[in-house]
Amino acid sequence: MSTTGTIDRPATHGPRPRPSRKAEPAMALRSDNHASTHPDTTSSRQNRTRDMQLIPEAMARAHMHERMREADSERVGRRMVMARRMQRRAERASMRARRALALAVMQ
């Protein structure tokens, strides 16, 4: 097989748009020149079919990337909340220790 990627392992991160082919005016006037007899037609159809098959994979990859980004940002948010809780807890413990020390010194 001459293609560089497979459905399971595509060569790119998504299908790339193909440049459109413009027929030359002199060739377009001839009646024996059909698009189906052009040698590149079969390969371009196969590539188009392959690209169409890769679209769901590219979409799934983008979807998973977005979900991973969301999970990472949520994880960072949770860490911030936990750090604030721990800081408040440490401040309360410090205040209790100061009060206990002050009571011990005054007696």
Side-chain angles (χ1 to χ4, degrees), residues 39-88:
D40 245 1
T41 302
T42 308
S43 64
S44 70
R45 281 187 188 147
Q46 286 174 348
N47 287 337
R48 193 175 319 129
T49 302
R50 182 173 165 268
D51 289 345
M52 292 298 284
Q53 289 174 345
L54 293 179
I55 287 173
E57 283 191 22
M59 289 175 65
R61 194 176 297 110
H63 185 74
M64 286 299 294
H65 179 71
E66 181 67 21
R67 293 290 167 254
M68 291 296 287
R69 190 188 62 75
E70 286 176 9
D72 287 342
S73 66
E74 191 173 318
R75 232 176 269 128
V76 169
R78 284 184 187 164
R79 283 187 198 140
M80 291 292 289
V81 168
M82 288 300 294
R84 287 182 187 143
R85 283 182 190 161
M86 296 296 281
Q87 182 181 6
R88 285 191 295 258

Side-chain angles (χ1 to χ4, degrees), residues 88-103:
R88 285 191 295 258
R89 187 179 297 170
E91 287 172 357
R92 285 193 301 266
S94 172
M95 291 301 289
R96 281 194 303 269
R98 281 185 186 177
R99 280 190 212 119
L101 182 63
L103 286 173

